[in-house]
Amino acid sequence: MKEIQDIVAAYARHQEAGLQTALATVVKVEGSAYRRPGARMLVAEDGQLTGAISGGCLEGDALRKARLAMAQGKPTLVKYDTMDDDDAKLGVGLGCNGIIHILIEPLLPFLQVNQIALLQDLVQNRQTGVLVTLFSLQDRKGPQPGTCLLLKQDGALNRAGLGALLEDNLLQEARTALHTGVSTILDNLPPGNLTAFVEVVKPAIAVVICGAGNDVMPLVQMTHVLGWPTTVIDGRAAYATQARFPTAHQVLVAKPEAVLSQLTVDQHTVFLLFTHNYNYDLAMLRQLLPLSLPYIGVLGPKKKIDRLLTELRDEGHSLTPEFLKGLFGPTGLDIGAETPEEIALSVVAEIKKVLSQRRGTSLREKETPIHFPALEEAKR
């Protein structure tokens, strides 16, 4: 989502400057590649690039092809084959072992569906959405329909003028992807044997940090870099200030009982208790008990979390398996973290691991490809 956020912001700047732009999207990968389907890069006619479609080896050639697509005013599908000697001659050294298909769409003012508008819709509304991008592998020089449909979690639909049969098929596949949360590639769609990239796009992780001490500062800096909107809350007005946390989405002074009324909490929201105040943490946990949260991190030793849970039980609260599954105390991965910066790294890494449904092991220990879908990996 961070990449999409940056692209939407860059497009607005280029529009103000009167620059032509094109959107390059990785739509299909066969074998190994640095980026997977859904990776995007915005190209401006003056050479400015936002986002990435590779580790840096494709961007130069993609820039040239994007400028040609802008001049011609039509989308183009580009294929890069890491095993093709011609690519090596062109200086495209990918360092991988696969084939990458990239759709380049010039962003024209008369387009029926503006691709950036669809991306902006995803950024502004915290909903999971499904984007459908159509392209033709069979006829690369023929028409490339491009990004044509967005289905959001609330059922809202934005689409181009597709044929009735094709639209019905794509809508059904989009609903299935929305339900499973898994992106997919569909081949040989009529008419014209088109291919569809049905992409599930989830909102950015929203982070709520209770506690505004100095050790929270590097944590907020890291979440900002990741594009995770972050709220910092503390009961102490001298600590909870925007000046201390300039990159935070918002900074609030509030007692635990008044926190939730000032927030919008969804299934992609995580809470971190960094107050160093046992009573504040306990009161905050009471507020969070009824919510279905994927991650609640509590700073401090295991004895602290055990004491908190015991006190909650003694008060008569029911600690459901779902609540306990999402409770992480001590918070963070075991990477030997000591400094506030290292602790922030371990916490951010654990949040990403949990919400991505990964195991958090070293990549060299994986028996499956790096980008093997998490849901499929869990079945093994």
Side-chain angles (χ1 to χ4, degrees):
M1 180 55 73
K2 175 64 161 59
E3 189 167 67
I4 293 178
Q5 293 171 352
D6 291 344
I7 285 173
V8 169
Y11 178 73
R13 293 195 300 270
H14 297 331
Q15 284 289 96
E16 289 181 6
L19 296 174
Q20 283 188 291
T21 54
L23 183 66
T25 305
V26 178
V27 290
K28 188 172 184 178
V29 171
E30 302 168 51
S32 176
Y34 184 79
R35 298 297 306 272
R36 304 303 294 173
R40 290 179 173 83
M41 181 175 73
L42 183 69
V43 181
E45 61 178 306
D46 65 353
Q48 294 184 64
L49 305 177
T50 305
I53 52 174
S54 74
C57 42
L58 296 184
E59 278 69 7
D61 189 65
L63 171 59
R64 291 190 289 272
K65 289 183 169 61
R67 281 174 169 159
L68 179 60
M70 292 181 214
Q72 296 176 338
K74 63 179 184 179
T76 182
L77 187 66
V78 183
K79 172 185 174 184
Y80 295 99
D81 188 340
T82 64
M83 297 172 284
D84 190 335
D85 289 337
D86 288 339
D87 279 351
K89 292 174 185 176
L90 288 171
V92 180
L94 299 176
C96 299
N97 187 25
I99 299 172
I100 301 98
H101 302 272
I102 296 173
L103 182 67
I104 300 176
E105 301 174 88
L107 302 171
L108 305 172
F110 55 80
L111 287 176
Q112 183 174 5
V113 174
N114 185 294
Q115 299 88 340
I116 298 298
L118 298 183
L119 297 180
Q120 187 172 22
D121 195 352
L122 288 171
V123 170
Q124 292 178 341
N125 299 283
R126 286 190 57 80
Q127 295 184 47
T128 297
V130 175
L131 276 173
V132 178
T133 303
L134 283 174
F135 53 99
S136 176
L137 293 171
Q138 306 295 328
D139 184 10
R140 292 178 174 275
K141 296 186 182 296
Q144 302 290 341
T147 308
C148 58
L149 185 148
L150 169 62
L151 175 66
K152 294 192 295 184
Q153 200 166 12
D154 62 2
L157 184 67
N158 194 340
R159 61 189 183 277
L162 302 169
L165 177 61
L166 181 57
E167 184 173 305
D168 287 345
N169 289 338
L170 290 178
L171 269 176
Q172 182 57 46
E173 294 296 339
R175 292 189 182 103
T176 299
L178 198 59
H179 176 70
T180 63
V182 179
S183 302
T184 187
I185 302 285
L186 305 173
D187 291 311
N188 302 318
L189 293 172
N193 290 327
L194 293 171
T195 299
F197 172 37
V198 182
E199 176 190 10
V200 178
V201 183
K202 297 180 180 179
I205 298 170
V207 183
V208 180
I209 306 174
C210 297
N214 291 347
D215 58 342
V216 174
M217 291 178 175
L219 184 55
V220 175
Q221 292 169 352
M222 288 187 189
T223 57
H224 173 70
V225 169
L226 292 168
W228 297 355
T230 301
T231 299
V232 177
I233 303 172
D234 202 298
R236 301 167 295 178
Y239 284 76
T241 67
Q242 200 72 52
R244 282 170 53 80
F245 300 97
T247 61
H249 180 68
Q250 61 179 337
V251 180
L252 303 174
V253 178
K255 296 180 179 180
E257 297 77 12
V259 167
L260 295 182
S261 63
Q262 302 182 65
L263 301 175
T264 299
V265 178
D266 57 33
Q267 60 184 341
H268 302 285
T269 302
V270 303
F271 275 76
L272 296 172
L273 306 186
F274 272 59
T275 66
H276 301 278
N277 182 321
Y278 178 86
N279 290 327
Y280 195 108
D281 288 351
L282 178 62
M284 199 65 233
L285 282 177
R286 291 192 192 104
Q287 302 300 311
L288 300 181
L289 272 172
L291 304 182
S292 179
L293 296 171
Y295 187 98
I296 302 172
V298 182
L299 186 68
K302 193 173 187 305
K303 286 184 177 180
K304 174 185 174 181
I305 192 67
D306 289 342
R307 181 185 169 192
L308 287 167
L309 293 178
T310 298
E311 193 158 347
L312 288 173
R313 289 191 183 96
D314 290 345
E315 292 174 357
H317 295 287
S318 175
L319 306 183
T320 65
E322 182 182 24
F323 172 78
L324 294 174
K325 180 182 178 182
L327 187 63
F328 292 80
T331 181
L333 295 180
D334 183 9
I335 58 172
E338 294 290 342
T339 67
E341 292 78 10
E342 292 170 348
I343 292 170
L345 176 63
S346 76
V347 172
V348 166
E350 185 175 57
I351 292 171
K352 177 60 179 173
K353 175 190 87 78
V354 171
L355 271 69
S356 298
Q357 301 180 48
R358 296 288 178 152
R359 298 174 182 172
T361 56
S362 296
L363 290 176
R364 71 173 186 175
E365 297 175 12
K366 286 176 64 70
E367 297 178 357
T368 59
I370 292 175
H371 297 288
F372 201 74
L375 292 178
E376 291 298 319
E377 186 171 327
K379 298 176 183 177
R380 294 172 64 86

